Amino acid sequence: MGFSFGGGPSQPSQMELLSARVEQGLAAARKVFETTRCPVVAAGDADHAYDDKYLLAEFLTQTAVGSAFAVLQLLGLGDEAALRLAEAAKMRAVTLRFDQVLSCTLLREEKEEVEVPVTRTTMTTGDSEQGATTVTHHEVRTVTKWLFTVTATYELYAYVGNDPKGTALPLKRAERTATVAMGACTAPVSVPVKEVAEVDITWLLERLDSSGTASFAINRGDAECRTPLRNPEVAAALKAFRGLSAFADGVRTHFRGTLVAARQLGRADALHQATDVPVPLVPVVPVMWDRSTAGAAPAVAGGGAEAGTVLSGRDAEALLLDSRRLLDERCASLRDAFPADEGLVTWEEAKVCAALSYMTRVCEALAGGVEYIEALLRRQLVRAVGKEVTASDFRRYIDFHNRCLFTQPYAPVLFSYAIRRPGHAHDPEGALSLEEISPAGERAVATTVTRVRDMAAPFRFALSASADLTFTGKVYVHSYVAHRFSTERQAQVELVARAKQFSGFVVLLGQIGGKDLFLPKHAFLCQNKDEFKIPLALDEIPTPKEFKDAIASLSPEQQRFAKAYRAMQLEATLFGVCVIQVKPQLEKVLNLPPDALTKEIKLTQQLLDLFTKYHIASDLLSYQGDTYEDDIDVPAATKVAAVKAHVGAILEMVREAEAEETQDAKARAEFGRTAATSGFDGSGASTAAPTGGFGSAAPSGGLFGGSGANTAAASGFGGSGASTAAPTGGFGSAAPSGGLFGGSGANTAAASGFGGSGASTAAPTAPSGGLFGGSGANTAAASGFGGFGAPAAGGFGGFGAAASSSGGFGGFGAAAAPVAGGFGAAPAAGGFGGFGAAKPGGFGASAPAAGGFGGFGAAASSSGGFGGFGAGSGASTAAPTGGFGSAAPSGGFFGGSGANTAAASGFGGFAPSSGGGGGEANAFSTSSSSAPLHAGVLPARDELDVSALPHALETRYEALDKDSSVRPTIITAAAQWQKTSQRKLLGKPERAFIMGCREKDTAFDLLSALTRSGGLEVEHADLHVVIAATHCFDKTLMDTLVQHNVNPIEKVERSTLIVASTIHDAPAAALVKAGHAERVEALNLQVAAQETPMA
């Protein structure tokens, strides 16, 4: 069997194979020694020390070298020639070379008469039967044969330097011929073939001393010396014997190929079978003396005694002599099968093949022997521990080791934090943890070296393109040192956030962009028993030494690019997790005292819904006052009650809007089943018709529609049929109270909305008009937008109107100057404005009940329409902002009428405390004096610059990580998360996979409401900054111990101390317990002596 020379990891099955091979050699070795007092056993069965394994490796290599010289002697290299070559090997390389030339010539052509049996079969046919007759006879034929002479010339010699024909020392040379008969004139060898095999024997010759004795030793003090197998000397020996094995196999293949070319296949097989039989004893056997059975030294056959567990040099000589004897016997046995002067391969060539076959066995025995020593180390280690230690086992030990190593203030802690309101009087709102999942599926909370302190200056991040959010609180600086072994999957890391029932908090994930800058990439609201599991990717970047070596030969431009990009990578190693609690900030934005909402569960949930679902401004819900300290004498319950009232009012509006949407949906469905009047074509039904157009409204008015009193529903953008005579259609006729683009009428024939041309009697409007529609009280009033040619014109049309009350979009060129408006209205008019009106008008009518689009800059008691842009309402009761159309309770969306009532906002109030839609302030702007991200205004310098940690660690890694095994690691959140939620209080938890990016909008909408778009600072936030590093091993855990002879505990401990001393800004010796300080200084002298604080 063969063994690899690579020294790969030994599996248990390979250990069994190695042990079986050792047992075979052990049986032959026992015959050499007298074992009556001290038997020889396999190394694994003898009591020995660790240094005995080095002695055993030296013994194996020395006997292999002796066996190789024995083979060279059989090949013709005498002792004197070997010494000459050994002297030459001190200066130049020495190579052993085999040359063979195979040629063929036509000898002659021969013809020979031979008898060839010929069989003929004759078929017979008769009346009654059929048959066949077979006759065999011999014919004489002439056969032509071509005789070829095959010549094989080979030469075995050694030469010095690189010129084979220079200083060559011939060892063997022969020329063999054979005659081959071919049935055709085709030569067995068409052209001369030259075959070459060579091997460098310099290392082998260097082992000879001046007396011709071979020796070998391992330098245990070499820094590269790790184990009896992993050291420069054994590695060089294995390389040399690997070459000898390849050379031996090549020469044997050439000889066998010569016989095959000469069509002597039987002789080729005989050569292979005769020379490939293993020699009974190969002296390279990993055995030791068993001193447990006797105290005396063993007696070597024919010699004295030497004390020691490992076999001595004299023992090796005894094995070599017996092995050489057996090899000579094997060569002598080949004489009968291969005569001395017959054929292409004679007895001399057969001896060469046998000797080279023995060389191959020696090489295999050496490789298997040193691998046996390493496998023995592995087996002993497993027996000592009780199992094959895995990476998961090692992680658990490191946690135990850190608890024993560090003093309490600096000991690594579990990354699991309760999210709790300031102080300890409250139960936690939830928990945040960093968890590791092993390849076997085991879950454990990660441990980190942590430093906690209060923020010296607020942090900030961009809430929107024009607003920043600032926050203060505690900063947790965590150093997460992972470790990775080759071929073993690294543990997965997850960030887990869990909220309790009736609790909530916002979590932001991102990076640290500066000493006071946070760059969130993800955000989510965790509330009401939600659980988020966010996988984190750990991306390693090169070590400082690897980076420095990689750019050493680049151009200055390329180096500057690489350094700039690495600076960005180092900044990305700072992973930030910001936790903002909802209730404390909710109390602050609503001007409530602390803990006011602790037991207001329903109110808190309603507020969150209004902020996140309906985007209600916090000013509409807060208690009157700038801060909760205003009206400090007012009880907290009173303030909470005020907030409840505001919330109730908003919720009532929401319910009404939902009811309207439901009714509208029903009306649309009804419209498809009835033959009703159309919304746009002007047709009317004799019976009550449903609403149509762009949206009809209930009596209290709807979108684009007016208000009505005790009448059928008013139309929105389209017309609804009244219960009286049906009007002509237009863009939409209306019921008693007018709607948008439509007129209103009271108990009379309904007026047309957008059109209605040709009406003989116009009585369109009710006392209060809507946008784009006129208003009137029991008088001949104008129609809404049209009324082309009507006796009493109004609206947008009414060209030449003489009505007492013009309305709509204007009475262009009204004949009745006292009340006619140009583009707008007289005292009781609605519409867009009044261009050129005799009474106050223009683009800013100040009518007491002005509606419609206008009143630009109006100061009326209750402006409406599209807004009173910049209008300041002066109603006798609270009249909040107008937006795109403030409306009284009976008003429509884009317009409404009503005085001395609380006007509701239509399209939105852009300017707090001012009417209309013309407020200049942006809804997302902030009145805070904090500068936006792009302004470059930074707060005061923090005494601990978190953003400087990556560069500080980079410097220390480069100076102290001599193995260059610690890689800075970038932590990024995965795109897909796992969320477990419970939609109902008594429902079952539901688990789903979500895209994390979809949670950010909800969280930022809530933060915008809680901070008034950044106007309020968030207090008592928690910022967790995690800086990660990975200690990388290029072998598995067991191979690191066995093959590299490296204790991974000490390596990871060193890396942890480098990081911990940087985080805590203290020397390593000050971080550990007194019992470990001396050991730490011995193992990590440079780390322990590093006392320079972080810049």
Side-chain angles (χ1 to χ4, degrees):
M1 62 172 295
F3 297 92
S4 66
F5 285 85
S10 299
Q11 302 298 329
S13 59
Q14 187 175 358
M15 178 61 185
E16 295 175 359
L17 296 174
L18 291 171
S19 298
R21 181 64 179 269
V22 171
E23 290 296 330
Q24 294 175 5
L26 180 62
R30 283 174 175 167
K31 298 178 180 179
V32 180
F33 304 104
E34 297 177 358
T35 58
T36 55
R37 291 181 296 170
C38 187
V40 64
V41 295
D45 298 330
D47 294 335
H48 62 278
Y50 178 71
D51 191 63
D52 290 337
K53 291 183 171 65
Y54 278 97
L55 295 175
L56 180 59
E58 292 174 344
F59 168 79
L60 294 175
T61 308
Q62 185 172 343
T63 54
V65 170
S67 300
F69 276 110
V71 172
L72 291 179
Q73 287 180 349
L74 285 175
L75 297 181
L77 182 64
D79 294 339
E80 184 178 352
L83 289 177
R84 292 202 309 269
L85 290 177
E87 189 66 24
K90 296 178 181 180
M91 303 298 296
R92 304 186 68 182
V94 179
T95 304
L96 182 65
R97 182 184 176 98
F98 172 81
D99 289 342
Q100 177 178 270
V101 178
L102 190 63
S103 61
C104 180
T105 57
L106 179 61
L107 182 60
R108 62 181 178 273
E109 178 183 349
E110 292 184 351
K111 293 185 179 181
E112 182 181 1
E113 294 183 350
V114 296
E115 291 185 351
V116 179
V118 178
T119 301
R120 293 181 179 179
T121 302
T122 303
M123 302 297 297
T124 60
T125 302
D127 296 335
S128 59
E129 59 181 9
Q130 295 181 354
T133 302
T134 301
V135 179
T136 302
H137 65 280
H138 292 79
E139 294 181 356
V140 178
R141 295 182 180 180
T142 301
V143 178
T144 303
K145 296 191 297 183
W146 286 266
L147 301 181
F148 291 89
T149 300
V150 178
T151 304
T153 304
Y154 74 88
E155 183 179 7
L156 185 65
Y157 60 95
Y159 67 92
V160 180
N162 56 0
D163 184 9
K165 300 303 180 182
T167 56
L169 177 64
L171 303 181
K172 281 185 178 295
R173 190 179 190 283
E175 181 176 321
R176 310 296 182 187
T177 60
T179 302
V180 180
M182 303 293 292
C185 189
T186 303
V189 180
S190 57
V191 295
V193 177
K194 184 175 183 180
E195 296 172 332
V196 176
E198 62 180 22
V199 59
D200 189 346
I201 58 173
T202 306
W203 180 90
L204 196 65
L205 295 171
E206 290 174 346
R207 307 281 74 80
L208 287 179
D209 57 17
S210 58
S211 62
T213 304
S215 63
F216 176 80
I218 299 174
N219 182 10
R220 295 163 178 77
D222 192 339
E224 297 296 325
C225 180
R226 300 181 181 274
T227 67
L229 172 59
R230 313 288 168 165
N231 56 79
E233 289 76 21
V234 172
L238 291 176
K239 180 180 179 180
F241 278 95
R242 187 184 301 115
L244 286 172
S245 178
F247 174 79
D249 291 340
V251 173
R252 292 170 59 206
T253 301
H254 292 331
F255 280 127
R256 188 174 186 276
T258 300
L259 295 175
V260 173
R263 302 300 191 269
Q264 300 179 6
L265 300 181
R267 198 169 181 81
D269 293 339
L271 177 66
H272 175 73
Q273 294 174 2
T275 59
D276 201 47
V277 177
V279 177
L281 174 62
V282 176
V284 187
V285 185
V287 295
M288 292 183 179
W289 298 114
D290 184 8
R291 301 226 175 252
S292 62
T293 58
V300 181
E306 293 184 9
T309 302
V310 180
L311 275 65
S312 65
R314 294 185 62 185
D315 300 329
E317 291 178 4
L319 289 173
L320 287 171
L321 288 175
D322 195 67
S323 178
R324 176 63 185 269
R325 177 182 62 81
L326 294 174
L327 179 60
D328 289 341
E329 292 177 357
R330 172 59 53 80
C331 292
S333 66
L334 299 175
R335 185 183 296 272
D336 296 335
F338 299 91
D341 298 321
E342 184 179 334
L344 293 174
V345 175
T346 66
W347 178 56
E348 288 295 330
E349 288 75 37
K351 287 195 303 181
V352 170
C353 291
L356 292 177
S357 176
Y358 173 77
M359 173 69 76
T360 301
R361 302 293 179 183
V362 170
C363 297
E364 292 177 349
L366 176 61
V370 292
E371 286 185 2
Y372 174 81
I373 298 175
E374 188 170 277
L376 183 60
L377 285 170
R378 180 185 296 270
R379 186 178 68 180
Q380 291 174 332
L381 185 62
V382 171
R383 286 179 178 177
V385 178
K387 60 179 296 186
E388 283 266 359
V389 183
T390 64
S392 299
D393 300 326
F394 185 73
R395 291 187 188 94
R396 286 192 292 270
Y397 174 79
I398 288 298
D399 294 339
F400 164 79
H401 180 76
N402 289 336
R403 291 196 302 269
C404 299
L405 176 66
F406 288 92
T407 58
Q408 187 58 38
Y410 307 107
V413 296
L414 296 175
F415 193 109
S416 181
Y417 295 89
I419 300 173
R420 183 192 304 273
R421 297 188 64 173
H424 298 280
H426 300 86
D427 283 340
E429 299 282 310
L432 183 74
S433 62
L434 192 68
E435 301 182 1
E436 294 176 328
I437 306 173
S438 69
E442 302 173 353
R443 182 180 290 270
V445 179
T447 57
T448 58
V449 176
T450 304
R451 182 180 181 184
V452 186
R453 61 184 307 280
D454 294 326
M455 295 183 190
F459 267 78
R460 61 197 174 94
F461 65 86
L463 190 61
S464 66
S466 59
D468 297 348
L469 186 149
T470 58
F471 61 92
T472 60
K474 290 186 178 297
V475 177
Y476 298 77
V477 182
H478 309 271
S479 64
Y480 176 69
V481 181
H483 42 269
R484 176 176 56 82
F485 295 93
S486 69
T487 71
E488 293 179 340
R489 289 188 302 165
Q490 191 173 10
Q492 298 178 358
V493 181
E494 286 185 347
L495 183 70
V496 182
R498 300 180 179 91
K500 289 186 175 182
Q501 186 67 58
F502 307 128
S503 302
F505 50 88
V506 177
V507 181
L508 300 101
L509 311 177
Q511 298 175 354
I512 305 301
K515 55 179 172 290
D516 66 342
L517 179 60
F518 180 54
L519 304 175
K521 293 185 177 180
H522 302 279
F524 60 92
L525 172 63
C526 187
Q527 61 174 338
N528 297 334
K529 299 184 72 172
D530 285 346
E531 181 186 64
F532 287 84
K533 293 183 178 179
I534 305 171
L536 302 179
L538 303 180
D539 299 322
E540 303 164 6
I541 62 177
T543 66
K545 184 178 183 302
E546 290 173 343
F547 175 76
K548 188 174 181 180
D549 294 343
I551 68 171
S553 59
L554 297 180
S555 68
E557 293 78 9
Q558 293 167 342
Q559 288 185 1
R560 289 195 298 270
F561 172 81
K563 291 177 180 178
Y565 195 84
R566 184 169 179 84
M568 182 197 69
Q569 289 179 317
L570 291 177
E571 182 182 280
T573 59
L574 287 174
F575 180 69
V577 182
C578 181
V579 180
I580 298 176
Q581 298 185 47
V582 172
K583 285 185 180 178
Q585 195 64 23
L586 197 59
E587 292 164 351
K588 184 176 181 180
V589 76
L590 296 175
N591 302 326
L592 297 177
D595 296 338
L597 296 177
T598 300
K599 294 180 174 58
E600 298 292 339
I601 299 172
K602 182 177 180 180
L603 177 60
T604 302
Q605 192 61 50
Q606 290 173 341
L607 288 167
L608 293 180
D609 290 341
L610 291 176
F611 288 150
T612 58
K613 185 176 181 180
Y614 300 104
H615 304 280
I616 303 299
S618 59
D619 289 343
L620 300 179
L621 305 172
S622 62
Y623 174 75
Q624 184 176 3
D626 294 334
T627 64
Y628 76 89
E629 297 176 352
D630 296 342
D631 300 330
I632 194 171
D633 296 332
V634 178
T638 303
K639 297 181 178 180
V640 173
V643 172
K644 285 183 178 179
H646 299 328
V647 171
I650 297 297
L651 290 177
E652 180 63 26
M653 291 182 59
V654 171
R655 285 191 289 270
E656 290 177 359
E658 291 176 348
E660 291 173 3
E661 291 179 2
T662 302
Q663 184 177 357
D664 183 65
K666 292 180 179 178
R668 291 175 182 271
E670 183 67 20
F671 178 76
R673 296 191 299 267
T674 61
T677 57
S678 64
F680 283 88
D681 61 359
S683 62
S686 60
T687 58
T691 59
F694 264 75
S696 60
S700 60
L703 174 63
F704 280 89
S707 62
N710 303 320
T711 60
S715 65
F717 216 86
S720 64
S723 61
T724 58
T728 58
F731 215 88
S733 59
S737 182
L740 174 63
F741 282 17
S744 64
N747 302 320
T748 58
S752 63
F754 210 91
S757 60
S760 61
T761 305
T765 58
S768 64
L771 175 62
F772 283 145
S775 65
N778 301 318
T779 58
S783 62
F785 212 88
F788 291 83
F796 200 90
F799 290 77
S804 59
S805 177
S806 63
F809 217 82
F812 290 90
V819 295
F823 207 93
F832 210 94
F835 286 115
K839 293 296 179 70
F843 239 86
S846 58
F853 212 94
F856 283 73
S861 59
S862 179
S863 62
F866 207 92
F869 284 80
S873 60
S876 59
T877 59
T881 60
F884 254 76
S886 61
S890 63
F893 181 77
F894 258 32
S897 62
N900 303 323
T901 57
S905 63
F907 212 93
F910 274 55
S913 302
S914 62
E920 294 291 338
N922 191 299
F924 299 100
S925 66
T926 174
S927 59
S928 172
S929 60
S930 63
L933 294 182
H934 51 75
V937 179
L938 301 177
R941 177 178 175 84
D942 190 355
E943 63 184 37
L944 175 60
D945 186 0
V946 178
S947 63
L949 283 175
H951 296 280
L953 285 171
E954 178 89 346
T955 302
R956 294 196 176 186
Y957 289 152
E958 185 176 1
L960 306 179
D961 182 23
K962 299 302 182 181
D963 298 331
S964 186
S965 56
V966 182
R967 297 175 180 270
T969 304
I970 300 174
I971 302 179
T972 54
Q976 190 178 56
W977 304 351
Q978 179 180 306
K979 179 181 179 181
T980 302
S981 58
Q982 186 172 316
R983 296 187 179 182
K984 296 182 179 180
L985 181 61
L986 302 179
K988 294 183 178 180
E990 299 177 0
R991 181 176 301 173
F993 290 95
I994 63 173
M995 300 303 295
C997 57
R998 298 178 181 176
E999 301 287 327
K1000 185 175 181 180
D1001 291 342
T1002 300
F1004 268 52
D1005 289 341
L1006 179 58
L1007 291 177
S1008 179
L1010 294 179
T1011 60
R1012 296 174 187 162
S1013 296
L1016 289 180
E1017 185 177 81
V1018 174
E1019 300 176 354
H1020 310 298
D1022 292 333
L1023 178 62
H1024 297 267
V1025 180
V1026 184
I1027 183 167
T1030 304
H1031 192 113
C1032 301
F1033 297 91
D1034 56 0
K1035 295 285 186 180
T1036 64
L1037 175 61
M1038 293 299 294
D1039 288 344
T1040 301
L1041 284 164
V1042 175
Q1043 296 181 7
H1044 283 184
N1045 194 30
V1046 169
N1047 184 358
I1049 297 173
E1050 297 172 356
K1051 297 298 182 180
V1052 174
E1053 177 190 83
R1054 181 183 181 89
S1055 302
T1056 304
L1057 288 172
I1058 293 174
V1059 176
S1061 62
T1062 306
I1063 295 295
H1064 292 292
D1065 197 12
L1071 307 180
V1072 300
K1073 296 179 181 178
H1076 297 276
E1078 183 177 355
R1079 182 183 60 79
V1080 168
E1081 291 179 357
L1083 294 176
N1084 308 289
L1085 182 61
Q1086 292 174 304
V1087 180
Q1090 181 72 281
E1091 300 185 6
T1092 304
M1094 186 188 68

